[in-house]
Amino acid sequence: MFNATTIDAADKPGLYAALAAQARALLEGEHDLIANAANFAALVWHTLPDLNWCGFYLFDGKELVVGPFQGRPACVRIALGRGVCGTAAATGQTQVVADVNAFDDHIACDSASRSEIVVPLFDGERLVGVFDVDSPVLARFDAQDRAGMQRLAAVFMQSLRRPAREVA
């Protein structure tokens, strides 16, 4: 497994490409949401540097509910449109926040978090949840992280789809 202790901006595309390949291999053949979310969060947590939380909030039909994650205990429920996670879910747009303290309506589950990236997860038009990554480093995430995290989220979502021959 590739493990970055620091990330050079020039290395980010390669790092995310390697991480996407690892995720694809790790999740291959398994289609369970919880099992894949748990392994995916652990893979990202142990590969990317400068993280203090990494995991999922899953949509239960009304709100986001904490799912598999790595890091300190988290807020359990987040309303759509609230905080960074709720905003990503409600807008369908990845949120990259350089300074969470400057984000209106930020929900501070861990006071050590300084920056955050949240990728919404959709199966077609259906909201599945969000993939949320926090860092204690101000401005930790940039456009390359956005592209890389969106690529990782696509690998995760693809893992949940059963090939046509497996559908009963």
Side-chain angles (χ1 to χ4, degrees):
M1 177 170 65
F2 184 81
N3 189 358
T5 55
T6 61
I7 296 180
D8 181 305
D11 295 339
K12 280 186 183 182
L15 171 65
Y16 280 109
L19 188 52
Q22 290 174 351
R24 197 172 292 106
L26 176 66
L27 305 177
E28 184 178 2
E30 181 56 60
H31 306 291
D32 184 79
L33 173 67
I34 301 301
N36 284 356
N39 271 335
F40 185 87
L43 176 66
V44 173
W45 173 261
H46 287 286
T47 304
L48 296 179
D50 300 323
L51 305 183
N52 65 315
W53 202 90
C54 173
F56 293 85
Y57 278 91
L58 303 174
F59 185 58
D60 72 355
K62 295 185 295 184
E63 61 192 345
L64 298 171
V65 180
V66 72
F69 70 91
Q70 300 283 309
R72 292 183 181 188
C75 301
V76 175
R77 296 180 181 276
I78 299 174
L80 296 184
R82 288 273 341 266
V84 182
C85 288
T87 298
T91 64
Q93 299 294 314
T94 298
Q95 302 294 305
V96 179
V97 180
D99 180 355
V100 295
N101 294 319
F103 187 89
D104 286 340
D105 199 32
H106 174 254
I107 301 168
C109 296
D110 182 351
S111 62
S113 292
R114 299 291 310 278
S115 60
E116 186 170 6
I117 185 168
V118 181
V119 181
L121 305 171
F122 284 88
D123 183 7
E125 297 293 316
R126 183 179 67 88
L127 175 64
V128 174
V130 299
F131 180 58
D132 179 21
V133 182
D134 294 9
S135 174
V137 176
L138 194 63
R140 160 66 177 81
F141 306 106
D142 60 18
Q144 289 182 338
D145 294 293
R146 174 192 301 264
M149 292 289 186
Q150 289 174 330
R151 181 177 185 180
L152 290 174
V155 169
F156 174 76
M157 290 305 297
Q158 185 61 40
S159 77
L160 303 179
R161 296 183 186 102
R162 294 182 184 273
R165 65 183 180 279
E166 289 186 33
V167 176

